[in-house]
Amino acid sequence: MLSKFRPVMVLLLAALLLSLVGCAPKAAADGPKTVKVLTMQQAGPTPEEMNEIVAKFNEANPNIKVEIEYVSYDALHDKIATAMATNPPSYDVVLVDDIWYAEFAKAGYLWDVTAKIDAQTKEKVFAAAWDITTVNGTTYGMPWLLDAKYFFYNEKILAEAGFSAPPKTWEELVEQSKVIKEKGLVEYPIAWSWGQAEAVICDYVALLFGNGGSLVDAEGKPAFNNEKGVQALAWMLQTIEDGISNPASVSYVEEDVRNVFSQGKAAFAVNWLYMYELANLNADESQITGQVKFGLMPAFAGSGVESATINGSMGFSVVDKSPNREAAWEYVKFLTSESIQKEYSAHLLPVWSGNYEGEALDSLTKLNEATPVTVPAFKAQFPFSHVRPKVPYYAEGSKALQLAIQEALTKLKTPQQALDDAAAKWVELQAK
Amino acid sequence: MTQASIPRKTLNLRQQEMRDGMWMLLPGILIIFIITLIPVLYTFVLSFTNTPLSNPRPQDFVGLANYLAFLKSQQFWQAIWRTFYFTVVSVGAELVLGLAIASLIHSRPPGWKFLRTSLIIPWAVPTIVNGALWRWIYNADYGALNGLLMSLGLITKYRAWLTEPATAMNLVIIADIWHSLPFVVLILQAALATIPVEMEAAAAVDGATAWQRFWLIRIPLLQPAILVALIIRTVEAFRVFDIIYVITQGGPAFGTVTISYLTYLESFSYGHLGSGSAMSFLISLFTLAMALIYIRLFYRPEVRA
């Protein structure tokens, strides 16, 4: 009886198979192209501003549709790596952190744009910015975000404690913090991003270099477990025990630091440039507007270092396997262009060096409410910034160092033991 | 029907039905094959290689090296231990609390319908949202937990909750229990509803105490439902990932890195697809083993009265 259904079954099966085949990606046809962008919603322009930039881009390029997807910084690396496993990849343009360029270049994810950058562009963008997107002489994208961690302080709290200037050394910070604590102005004077994420490496690098240390030596071997590195880590632990560093720092990333500082619960904070506008000028986001000031990142007394911080810069790159590479590159060029970067400089300073000299500097500092303060802060702090090693195994090496720092901060191991174990892991990774 | 018929006619009705049934099952089998079996086999093959994530075609065969490396890896065994701890505490608490709440609802206290409905809410919340919720609750500087404990006078100043590995693990477990408990309650409560009232009433007449009625009538009759809840929840808890990713990112000091989280780090953060696949395979073996143990221990063919 049922056998009369057989043709129906065969038809259904055929339809199923066809629909599966239909899932296979089609080659991009002529006509409108879609450029899919993966970026992050922390630092840099807000999503509203990013959409405005797309609208402006479309005035000149009506045929290129731009779709932007945002993830948190801590999800970005893994999201890119998994998206690259498909063909064609899920994105055409990706935001790449300084420390991932070596890994991604080795894996062949990114399009070589060395020949596409004209001499004028090459000349006008900071040389330090090109170092971000360049691996072994090959350039894999346009630099976009030239950032460092800055030292912020709450002027009102410091004044109430009787201090007219921010600390110049970490020792001085401890002294000021003790007074602030004694006067009951805040419970924990400084908040850090020491959670188990890249954020803790950034803060540690600032302290490490501020103590005259470095992550690796001239031969690329791990150097963070020497005396300087151990001292920096021991200092971190000591400030938690003394109630100077917020003990919750061990579970915090940058956004937590911003929230605590913006609520007036910390006198000092270490964070990226984006915090300035949000904490000092944006009343929806902050209870301490008008009280936020920049100080030069302190260093340890007797280290011979004036200031040291982390260089956390990023670039936009075109995906090598993208079917729309040319269209994607057009968008990247537009997004990173001098005029767009100047227009949206409230949360992000331009990578174009010409803006920081002479008359251009005047106009840059007058672009919006933030730049009169952020531009001088950048000029003062950025020369003291240090990059992390550009190595293909960075993600794994960094995780080992994150673990070591947290093991020391939670007293599972001594700072020396923890850093020695991480150094052994780095040596093992280098040997692979 | 004529005599000179095609051979198909010689099939009896049962065979015919079988054959048509096969045709009907074929699309389903095909889909299962494509979306389940092929990836599983692919993972199995990858687990014997050093394939990088950047080029996910099986390459660089290394035999059992990935599996042998785990045996020696301290991080791996610590993750396994944490996963067992998470699973036992989480599922154990859910079962005890689930049984208590299901019994409470079963006794029809005033407002039991409201209780039953509102219980579903935590379960309806997506795990990621649940994680974000608890991350806020546990926040040391503006979290609700500190606020609550302060107003109750249980603490004198705000505490940092997620900065000590063992505490962080227990707090993640509480968040997981909050999310998964409704599922256990639902299963047990539905099973309770099928137990004839007369059985417990008759036992009461015969002089059985409430304790005896609970242990000698209710528990044995609930056994199949408990088994179902136990297997489903154990397998789920053993693979826990998302709630940890949101609340602690595996921190502090890897204190909440379970085996699934380690697999994620290995495969996607470090890009070692080969050893990541080997780890996934071990997780499957562990969960399968646990399901088999449960069935051996608890499953008995129904005894008819």
Side-chain angles (χ1 to χ4, degrees):
Chain A
M1 277 297 277
L2 279 166
S3 44
K4 70 176 159 196
F5 288 117
R6 193 186 302 117
V8 182
M9 290 299 144
V10 172
L11 220 70
L12 274 175
L13 206 62
L16 178 76
L17 282 170
L18 270 174
S19 64
L20 283 169
V21 171
C23 293
K26 292 186 190 77
D30 284 343
K33 290 193 168 70
T34 303
V35 171
K36 281 172 283 183
V37 181
L38 181 68
T39 181
M40 68 171 186
Q41 200 185 333
Q42 171 202 326
T46 63
E48 292 75 31
E49 290 174 330
M50 288 296 274
N51 289 340
E52 272 177 46
I53 297 173
V54 170
K56 288 189 176 126
F57 174 67
N58 280 340
E59 283 167 21
N61 301 276
N63 262 339
I64 304 176
K65 190 168 175 280
V66 179
E67 289 171 3
I68 306 179
E69 198 177 315
Y70 301 89
V71 291
S72 75
Y73 170 81
D74 289 306
L76 191 57
H77 169 276
D78 300 349
K79 183 104 175 161
I80 295 172
T82 39
M84 292 304 135
T86 61
N87 198 8
S90 322
Y91 305 99
D92 305 293
V93 172
V94 288
L95 178 65
V96 182
D97 197 5
D98 182 24
I99 48 182
W100 307 331
Y101 268 104
E103 179 197 342
F104 289 177
K106 189 185 171 205
Y109 294 159
L110 308 176
W111 195 29
D112 174 1
V113 291
T114 318
K116 300 189 92 56
I117 293 159
D118 55 60
Q120 207 194 0
T121 307
K122 187 96 191 162
E123 170 91 33
K124 285 175 77 181
V125 170
F126 280 114
W130 286 117
D131 286 345
I132 302 161
T133 59
T134 305
V135 183
N136 297 330
T138 306
T139 302
Y140 291 98
M142 272 302 286
W144 174 68
L145 173 73
L146 214 51
D147 211 350
K149 279 214 171 176
Y150 291 82
F151 183 75
F152 295 81
Y153 66 95
N154 185 313
E155 195 182 27
K156 187 163 163 263
I157 296 178
L158 252 64
E160 282 167 13
F163 298 108
S164 55
K168 285 198 166 53
T169 63
W170 292 117
E171 286 81 0
E172 209 183 314
L173 175 121
V174 169
E175 291 314 311
Q176 293 194 356
S177 296
K178 281 179 180 160
V179 176
I180 291 168
K181 226 176 134 65
E182 274 163 25
K183 294 199 172 170
L185 297 170
V186 291
E187 175 83 37
Y188 302 113
I190 181 164
W192 306 82
S193 52
W194 292 347
Q196 190 173 297
E198 188 59 29
V200 68
I201 304 293
C202 297
D203 284 7
Y204 177 66
V205 164
L207 293 166
L208 176 67
F209 280 85
N211 196 31
S214 63
L215 279 176
V216 291
D217 63 16
E219 283 138 38
K221 295 212 169 66
F224 49 75
N225 60 330
N226 67 16
E227 197 192 355
K228 308 276 184 199
V230 175
Q231 280 170 357
L233 182 52
W235 183 86
M236 290 163 73
L237 178 59
Q238 190 60 47
T239 59
I240 289 182
E241 298 199 325
D242 294 345
I244 286 164
S245 292
N246 189 324
S249 298
V250 182
S251 62
Y252 280 172
V253 291
E254 291 90 342
E255 281 289 87
D256 303 301
V257 171
R258 178 168 79 83
N259 287 332
V260 171
F261 186 70
S262 300
Q263 289 176 8
K265 288 186 174 179
F268 310 104
V270 167
N271 210 336
W272 307 102
L273 190 81
Y274 82 109
M275 184 164 92
Y276 180 75
E277 193 272 344
L278 293 168
N280 199 45
L281 305 172
N282 193 330
D284 293 337
E285 294 280 339
S286 171
Q287 298 171 25
I288 53 160
T289 49
Q291 303 170 19
V292 181
K293 286 279 187 308
F294 282 106
L296 201 58
M297 186 78 91
F300 286 97
S303 62
V305 179
E306 187 188 345
S307 172
T309 189
I310 176 86
N311 180 328
S313 301
M314 298 176 98
F316 269 110
S317 290
V318 174
V319 172
D320 192 53
K321 281 193 260 171
S322 156
N324 300 320
R325 291 195 302 205
E326 295 291 344
W329 180 241
E330 283 305 312
Y331 172 69
V332 169
K333 276 198 294 186
F334 186 82
L335 179 61
T336 57
S337 64
E338 190 169 2
S339 59
I340 289 293
Q341 283 221 314
K342 276 172 81 173
E343 196 174 339
Y344 294 92
S345 56
H347 298 115
L348 169 88
L349 292 173
V351 295
W352 301 78
S353 58
N355 291 296
Y356 297 86
E357 284 145 24
E359 281 174 29
L361 179 63
D362 282 347
S363 71
L364 182 65
T365 54
K366 283 173 195 143
L367 278 177
N368 55 55
E369 271 190 285
T371 47
V373 179
T374 55
V375 170
F378 171 82
K379 286 199 78 171
Q381 187 68 71
F382 201 74
F384 294 107
S385 69
H386 297 270
V387 293
R388 286 154 285 175
K390 256 192 162 72
V391 289
Y393 54 83
Y394 185 81
E396 200 169 356
S398 164
K399 194 55 93 184
L401 190 52
Q402 292 167 28
L403 173 61
I405 295 171
Q406 290 228 313
E407 279 173 338
L409 295 181
T410 55
K411 295 199 210 164
L412 294 171
K413 288 181 184 169
T414 64
Q416 181 76 59
Q417 185 61 49
L419 291 174
D420 281 347
D421 290 351
K425 181 76 186 174
W426 278 53
V427 171
E428 186 192 316
L429 290 169
Q430 281 168 341
K432 267 187 191 169
Chain B
M1 309 281 158
T2 53
Q3 281 277 306
S5 188
I6 26 179
R8 160 151 56 98
K9 285 280 163 198
T10 60
L11 295 174
N12 65 30
L13 191 64
R14 189 168 165 71
Q15 283 169 324
Q16 234 181 61
E17 275 187 350
M18 278 283 277
R19 193 195 52 206
D20 290 320
M22 286 310 286
W23 273 103
M24 287 183 164
L25 284 178
L26 200 58
I29 292 173
L30 207 68
I31 289 174
I32 288 175
F33 185 75
I34 291 169
I35 66 172
T36 310
L37 218 54
I38 291 180
V40 168
L41 290 175
Y42 198 77
T43 310
F44 188 60
V45 172
L46 282 177
S47 74
F48 298 107
T49 69
N50 254 343
T51 305
L53 180 64
S54 53
N55 182 9
R57 311 224 170 281
Q59 55 191 289
D60 192 4
F61 278 82
V62 292
L64 285 168
N66 287 331
Y67 291 94
L68 293 174
F70 297 146
L71 294 179
K72 286 187 290 183
S73 157
Q74 207 191 351
Q75 217 161 63
F76 176 79
W77 289 108
Q78 282 171 346
I80 290 276
W81 155 244
R82 279 182 215 115
T83 313
F84 270 109
Y85 178 79
F86 179 93
T87 308
V88 170
V89 177
S90 171
V91 177
E94 282 162 25
L95 217 57
V96 173
L97 289 173
L99 203 56
I101 296 173
S103 297
L104 182 70
I105 295 176
H106 190 61
S107 67
R108 304 272 192 273
W112 67 276
K113 276 187 175 162
F114 174 75
L115 181 65
R116 193 180 57 183
T117 315
S118 56
L119 255 174
I120 309 291
I121 296 169
W123 195 37
V125 173
T127 322
I128 294 290
V129 178
N130 181 45
L133 191 84
W134 284 90
R135 195 187 149 89
W136 274 90
I137 291 175
Y138 293 148
N139 186 291
D141 287 288
Y142 43 86
L145 181 62
N146 271 332
L148 179 73
L149 295 178
M150 274 286 259
S151 58
L152 291 176
L154 292 172
I155 50 172
T156 48
K157 66 176 189 179
Y158 277 19
R159 245 199 81 173
W161 293 104
L162 297 171
T163 55
E164 203 274 313
T167 318
M169 177 54 105
N170 289 330
L171 292 175
V172 170
I173 289 176
I174 290 175
D176 187 63
I177 293 173
W178 188 81
H179 180 247
S180 304
L181 184 60
F183 171 76
V184 179
V185 173
L186 267 184
I187 288 193
L188 296 181
Q189 200 247 328
L192 270 178
T194 65
I195 299 178
V197 195
E198 295 80 9
M199 288 183 86
E200 290 192 28
V205 169
D206 289 343
T209 61
W211 194 244
Q212 286 172 322
R213 291 199 302 268
F214 181 78
W215 280 105
L216 299 173
I217 297 175
R218 196 169 274 192
I219 292 293
L221 286 170
L222 277 181
Q223 205 153 310
I226 292 176
L227 183 66
V228 168
L230 210 55
I231 291 181
I232 293 178
R233 279 299 305 142
T234 304
V235 169
E236 264 179 15
F238 202 78
R239 297 175 312 180
V240 62
F241 170 77
D242 35 16
I243 197 163
I244 291 172
Y245 183 82
V246 178
I247 298 182
T248 64
Q249 291 214 330
F254 269 43
T256 51
V257 169
T258 57
I259 188 66
S260 288
Y261 203 89
L262 197 63
T263 307
Y264 165 81
L265 287 177
E266 191 72 21
S267 317
F268 301 115
S269 292
Y270 310 158
H272 307 320
L273 204 52
S275 52
S277 300
M279 244 184 239
S280 333
F281 233 84
L282 286 176
I283 300 176
S284 318
L285 289 183
F286 272 117
T287 40
L288 190 68
M290 280 188 299
L292 289 177
I293 291 170
Y294 278 149
I295 291 173
R296 262 288 159 80
L297 282 180
F298 298 116
Y299 186 76
R300 297 198 180 85
E302 210 144 316
V303 190
R304 293 195 187 277

